Structures are given as C-alpha cells and as structure tokens.
Amino acid sequence: MDPTSPPPSPETDSPPERMLQPTCISLTDVHRDPSCGFLNLSGEMMMGVLHLLDHRNLIQCAQVSRLLNLLAVQAVLDQHAIWKPQKICTVKISSYLRQPFDVLSALLMSTHIDEFAYLAIDVTGLLAYANLMVPLERIKRLITRIEAVDDVLFSFVTSSATQSRPETVSEKELRRIWQSLETLLSTFLSKSCSKIQFSGLYTCPWTHQFIFKRGLKNPGNPSTWRQLKGYLRSSKDVSDASKPKAKPTEEDLRYVRSTRMAKMFHIYPSPSEVLDGSKLVRFDSASCHIFRPPFAAWTFAALQASQIEHFTVGFKDLPSDIEESQYILNKLAAVLPEVILLTIYSVANSTQALDILAWTNSFLKLGTLSLPLTFPTDMDGDKINISLPELWRLECSPDLLGVLFAEEGRVELPKLNSVAITHYGLSLQVLAECIPKAREMINRRTPDGSSCFLFVALRLAVWQLLKIPAELREGKRPTLKSIDISKGFEGVSPLEVSLPGTREDVRLGIYDNDIMAILTLFPDVESLILSSTEWYLKRPPMKLDRLQMKRFRKRSPKLTSLVAY
C-alpha cells in the first residue's frame, strides 16, 4: 500500500462474513454480577449475542469487565477462524493504522491470553516494506506483554508490487524500521522461542542496498577494523539513549552500502543477556536474504548463541557471486555445529548444487538430510563428494538418488539405514521404475544394504486422489502396457502418505478408501504414517482407531504401526 494513499477504513479490516460457530469457553473462574441479566446467560448464548456486533463494538465490550473481555476477544477471533489462540494463532495485518479494528487489536486488549504455542504473523497485506513501522511496533507490544511464545512464523511482504517498483524510503525512516525489527527479533528470543520461521524475504528490497566487498584479506586484523570508523552507527542514531554504542560486526567490514553517502547501519545482534538465554533449536528460512545485510548480523549471532538442531533453508536466491556465496556457506557451517537435521528447500543451479553438497560435509553430527525434489541432477558425477559419518536417513527424489549413488560419485554414508524417495502424486509408472532402482543402488552402495529401509513418501492433493485407478480401490493392481507393476513394490516400509485434510478428517476415516487403494501397491508395509495439513504444528502423533488398523491390514497384512500427524 502506498504510504501517500488515504488510509483504509476500519470496516475494510473486517471479514466479509462472520463465522457464527459457537466457541466453548470455560467461565467457572470468572466472577459474574448477579444484578446483570446478560452476564448470567450461558457462555454459548452470550457468544451468540456478541457475534452480532462488529469489531469496533466488540473491542469496546472487551474493556468493560474480565468476563466480557474473555468473550468479546474470542468473538473477534472466531470471525477469523482462530478457535484456540493459545495453541494456534494467525495474525494477518493489512493496515498501517495505529489502532485498527483487527485481530492484533483484540489480542492486545485480551487479559487472558498470555502465551502462544504457534504464532503466525502475516504482513503480506501491507503491499510495501515502507509500511512496516507501525505494525512492527504493535507486534512488539503484543510479544512484550505475553509470557512465552514457542513457535513463530513471520511472513514478510510478497506482493508483486514490491518487485515491480522501488520503494522510496528516507534513511531516517529506514533506520527506524530496522531498529523496530531488531527489537522485535530480540523480544522473540527473550520469550523462550524455540523455533523461528521466515517466509517471503525473497522480495525484500533492503538486501539490494548492500554490496559485498570481494578480495578482502585477513579480516581479523585490527588495522582493518579501524577502517570502519565513520561507517558504524553512532550513539546519536539510536532512539534509546541508554542503549550502548553498537560494536562493529563482520558484516560492517564485508559489506558497503550501495549508496555512496549512506552510513553503514543494519539490524544489529540482540543484547548478550538475551543471546545467552536463547532456547532456539529450530530455524527456518526459504530465502538467503536473511543471511545478508541488514539481517545477517542478527541472524548469525542468534544462530551461534543457540543450539540449533533442525535447520531448514532455501538456496534459490543464494548470491551468484562465488566469493559471497562461499562466505555465507562458511559462516553457516561455523555457527551450526550441532545440526542433526538439515532440510534444503531449493537450489538455483547445478554449479551451486555441487557447492551445497560439499557444504553438507561440514555437519559432522548430521543424521537426516532432506533434499528438494527440484534439486539439480545435471551434475558431473566426478565432482560429487559427500562424507557424512553419522547420516542415517537421506530424503531426495528418485532421479537425484541415481545421481548420488552412481559409480563415479564419492559418497560415504557408513551409517545409512533409511532412504526416503519423495513422490508427488501416484504415478504408477514412475514408482514402478524408481523403487527397484533405489533398492538396487542401496544394496550396492551401503555396507549392508539389507539393513537399509526403503522409505516412500507420497504427497497427494485432492485431484490426485480422484485419479486413483478403480482397480486399486478394488484391491487389484492395474495392468499397464508400458511396464509390469505386478512386482517391484515389495519391501517398502515405512510408507508416508500426505493427505489434503486435517487430523480430524484422518481420524474420522474420510480418506480410508484412498489409503486402502494405495496400500494395494505396498503389501510389505509395517509402519504407515499419515500426514495431515496440520503436520507442521508439532503436535504429538495421534493413534488411530483399531477398526482402521484392521481395515488397512486387509491390504497390508504386516502392518503393525499406524499414526497420524
């Protein structure tokens, strides 16, 4: 949204339709006034009345009493399908007003919500990074007043308008936005946050304001650091006078601002007392912009101070400059010594793919490596060199598995006991070709191939379920002219099936017929894992009904374990 355009009206922040689903709220501990007839109604009846009010009136009701605060705030959240905010809460911000009538205003008004298990902050509706100032301050107020937040997802602006036209923001305004973001990120760490996810950063225009200085030798030399004088943020640039002067970081030395007269300032690391108490164990970013200024100084300091065990990253926008890309990869390897699970979202090209495969050798404790289905396969096999002494699970596409396990590649995985091939859809021909090849390569390239499990993960959408052949639903394997599918699927276990529904849909058996059709192909499955659309919420696995287990055993007699996420 253009800052010069008139601000949106409060009515535009309201959803077009109110969701009148009653919310079950416990009112046993809330004091009731016997003289007030409305407050003596049941919780469901009061919620029904409050659902008739708009956001403005609900926010006003929330200021009357603790009981009305509980009910009115939940009435606002119900309209945005937030049924249990302390467990799962998504805050969509589309206004840069200081007091809009939205979900965030309701949460700020609440006297009962004091923690979040999963909090998603979505600012994609702002249309421009220049509009972040006020929303960041409001989000900071919310995070400051709560006691704890476990899992945070921060979705940045991803509008095409951000990429098509440059944003005109003054240096002073830009500095204020970065300082607000710096404070907010530090606040996340101080609230016992264990997982932070960033999305949408690939459109961020801020990283283009910094240029990597190539050919810099001996960056640790004291005389080199003295060259930074005049480029660092001075005490006058800090809004809080009590905040100490920022110490120089390696990013101050490695990068310069693209504008000649612009000072070198960025998002600086969190205070030492916050970093020392960091409980961060998972970090997720689909963009490499988080590892470049203005974010880099904070990011690397937070990663180094934390015990990151699960690291997820997308390398699609890894800088094309070889020296800068190696600088980023080397710094990541240096600050992530404890990683045991590494997931890579994307890779730009085969040249960088070879560098990334070599980079994985830096993680000596790595146990699980997950590579994307789009990982380049047009690599020179002679240049592939992977040595991971503790790796026990490898996830990749069938085509990439053939490249990694080719004769000319140098791949040493002495403890490998699980290879997962991921497939989108249910292409019988592709599966019939890749599963026997995968089993053959496993037997050839592992010390004891018979002890290595072949794990198949199927990712299925609604339209793909509708295309399951009728023969499979009847318990028969169809006949294909191009390839024989009467055999080749044996020995696959565990089997993971990602379904396009919720955990409740899986529990109710909505997809049981689809699952039975799939199990017709895999008679030796001993462990079946069903992933719902809510798998990312880190809930404990849900065991399904015995009748479902009995039904699935008709197709896979060896089935002994059945869970859903």
Side-chain angles (χ1 to χ4, degrees):
M1 185 179 298
D2 192 335
T4 60
S5 61
S9 61
E11 288 76 9
T12 60
D13 292 332
S14 301
E17 297 180 359
R18 293 188 177 92
M19 306 183 68
L20 299 180
Q21 177 173 337
T23 302
C24 296
I25 298 178
S26 175
L27 304 177
T28 55
D29 298 330
V30 182
H31 174 71
R32 294 172 179 265
D33 185 357
S35 63
C36 179
F38 175 74
L39 295 181
N40 286 293
L41 297 174
S42 66
E44 288 76 9
M45 294 183 67
M46 284 190 283
M47 289 297 293
V49 175
L50 291 174
H51 275 139
L52 300 175
L53 305 179
D54 58 17
H55 279 206
R56 184 190 299 270
N57 290 325
L58 287 173
I59 295 298
Q60 292 174 346
C61 288
Q63 303 176 59
V64 175
S65 67
R66 285 184 58 83
L67 174 59
L68 281 179
N69 180 278
L70 173 65
L71 296 174
V73 168
Q74 187 59 52
V76 175
L77 300 181
D78 284 352
Q79 296 177 5
H80 296 270
I82 304 175
W83 315 121
K84 298 179 180 180
Q86 290 183 300
K87 292 186 177 181
I88 307 172
C89 187
T90 300
V91 180
K92 294 185 178 181
I93 301 175
S94 58
S95 172
Y96 52 82
L97 298 177
R98 291 196 173 275
Q99 293 182 332
F101 297 100
D102 57 5
V103 171
L104 185 53
S105 294
L107 293 174
L108 286 169
M109 192 65 63
S110 173
T111 60
H112 301 82
I113 300 174
D114 56 0
E115 63 180 6
F116 295 103
Y118 174 78
L119 176 64
I121 300 171
D122 186 348
V123 296
T124 56
L126 293 177
L127 302 181
Y129 282 84
N131 298 332
L132 276 174
M133 186 65 226
V134 173
L136 287 176
E137 292 179 350
R138 297 178 64 218
I139 298 170
K140 183 181 66 176
R141 285 172 50 205
L142 173 65
I143 303 303
T144 301
R145 60 176 290 274
I146 64 175
E147 294 181 2
V149 55
D150 183 53
D151 190 343
V152 175
L153 168 62
F154 202 111
S155 299
F156 282 85
V157 181
T158 58
S159 172
S160 57
T162 305
Q163 307 175 60
S164 59
R165 61 177 184 178
E167 295 185 10
T168 55
V169 184
S170 67
E171 285 285 296
K172 184 177 181 180
E173 292 176 341
L174 188 63
R175 188 171 306 187
R176 290 181 58 204
I177 293 175
W178 289 359
Q179 289 177 2
S180 294
L181 185 57
E182 175 185 320
T183 306
L184 176 61
L185 294 175
S186 298
T187 307
F188 282 143
L189 295 183
S190 67
K191 297 298 180 177
S192 303
C193 184
S194 66
K195 179 181 179 181
I196 293 183
Q197 306 174 71
F198 297 98
S199 69
L201 271 178
Y202 60 90
T203 63
C204 182
W206 298 338
T207 57
H208 302 305
Q209 299 190 22
F210 297 85
I211 300 176
F212 184 75
K213 295 170 66 175
R214 303 183 61 187
L216 186 63
K217 297 182 180 179
N218 194 14
N221 193 317
S223 62
T224 308
W225 285 105
R226 284 194 290 270
Q227 297 175 8
L228 297 176
K229 186 177 181 180
Y231 292 95
L232 295 179
R233 181 173 61 174
S234 65
S235 57
K236 295 181 180 179
D237 299 326
V238 184
S239 56
D240 184 1
S242 62
K243 191 172 182 178
K245 186 176 180 179
K247 295 181 180 180
T249 65
E250 189 173 349
E251 282 65 35
D252 292 312
L253 185 63
R254 287 287 187 175
Y255 291 87
V256 293
R257 294 289 297 276
S258 56
T259 305
R260 179 176 298 181
M261 298 304 296
K263 288 186 176 181
M264 186 64 183
F265 66 91
H266 43 82
I267 299 173
Y268 282 80
S270 303
S272 58
E273 60 270 16
V274 174
L275 293 176
D276 292 342
S278 173
K279 291 180 171 53
L280 201 63
V281 294
R282 299 183 65 182
F283 190 89
D284 186 326
S285 176
S287 170
C288 282
H289 283 186
I290 196 72
F291 309 120
R292 300 187 75 247
F295 306 97
W298 179 87
T299 302
F300 286 122
L303 294 178
Q304 188 169 25
S306 307
Q307 298 292 319
I308 302 295
E309 298 178 350
H310 185 177
F311 184 64
T312 305
V313 61
F315 286 121
K316 189 174 183 179
D317 54 359
L318 185 68
S320 56
D321 181 272
I322 297 178
E323 187 175 343
E324 183 178 7
S325 64
Q326 285 296 329
Y327 168 73
I328 292 176
L329 292 176
N330 292 340
K331 285 209 68 174
L332 284 174
V335 299
L336 297 171
E338 303 297 325
V339 167
I340 59 176
L341 199 162
L342 175 61
T343 302
I344 298 176
Y345 280 139
S346 58
V347 177
N349 52 60
S350 57
T351 301
Q352 291 187 345
L354 288 170
D355 294 336
I356 291 169
L357 288 178
W359 169 71
T360 60
N361 295 329
S362 305
F363 304 101
L364 301 180
K365 298 182 180 180
L366 189 63
T368 299
L369 174 61
S370 179
L371 302 175
L373 295 180
T374 57
F375 199 94
T377 57
D378 55 341
M379 298 177 290
D380 188 351
D382 294 335
K383 297 182 179 179
I384 296 177
N385 185 6
I386 303 177
S387 178
L388 298 170
E390 298 296 326
L391 190 77
W392 63 272
R393 178 180 172 89
L394 174 64
E395 302 176 1
C396 62
S397 67
D399 295 335
L400 180 60
L401 188 64
V403 174
L404 296 179
F405 282 9
E407 292 290 346
E408 59 270 19
R410 294 185 298 276
V411 179
E412 297 180 7
L413 309 173
K415 294 187 178 181
L416 185 67
N417 70 355
S418 177
V419 173
I421 54 177
T422 306
H423 179 67
Y424 277 84
L426 191 66
S427 174
L428 301 184
Q429 181 171 347
V430 172
L431 290 172
E433 291 176 349
C434 71
I435 290 177
K437 289 182 180 179
R439 186 180 295 107
E440 179 185 353
M441 287 182 289
I442 291 171
N443 293 334
R444 187 175 69 246
R445 294 304 303 269
T446 55
D448 186 3
S450 60
S451 64
C452 186
F453 295 101
L454 180 57
F455 187 111
V456 175
L458 302 177
R459 308 286 187 250
L460 299 169
V462 174
W463 65 272
Q464 292 166 333
L465 293 177
L466 296 175
K467 289 189 175 183
I468 293 179
E471 293 90 340
L472 288 179
R473 296 189 182 278
E474 296 171 0
K476 305 175 183 178
R477 292 189 181 184
T479 302
L480 299 180
K481 295 181 180 180
S482 57
I483 191 171
D484 180 16
I485 64 170
S486 61
K487 57 182 180 179
F489 293 86
E490 292 75 13
V492 173
S493 184
L495 173 66
E496 179 185 350
V497 181
S498 293
L499 299 166
T502 63
R503 284 165 57 109
E504 185 67 11
D505 294 336
V506 176
R507 187 186 68 81
L508 293 175
I510 293 176
Y511 299 101
D512 280 6
N513 291 334
D514 302 313
I515 296 169
M516 291 184 67
I518 295 170
L519 290 177
T520 303
L521 291 171
F522 304 97
D524 295 336
V525 170
E526 298 179 8
S527 176
L528 177 61
I529 303 169
L530 304 177
S531 295
S532 69
T533 54
E534 300 171 335
W535 62 269
Y536 62 91
L537 297 177
K538 297 193 303 183
R539 296 182 183 176
M542 176 178 63
K543 293 186 178 181
L544 301 182
D545 190 85
R546 291 182 179 180
L547 293 178
Q548 289 177 291
M549 172 75 82
K550 185 177 180 180
R551 190 180 301 121
F552 295 156
R553 277 180 179 167
K554 294 179 180 180
R555 304 292 174 87
S556 298
K558 298 180 181 180
L559 186 64
T560 58
S561 174
L562 174 63
V563 296
Y565 288 90

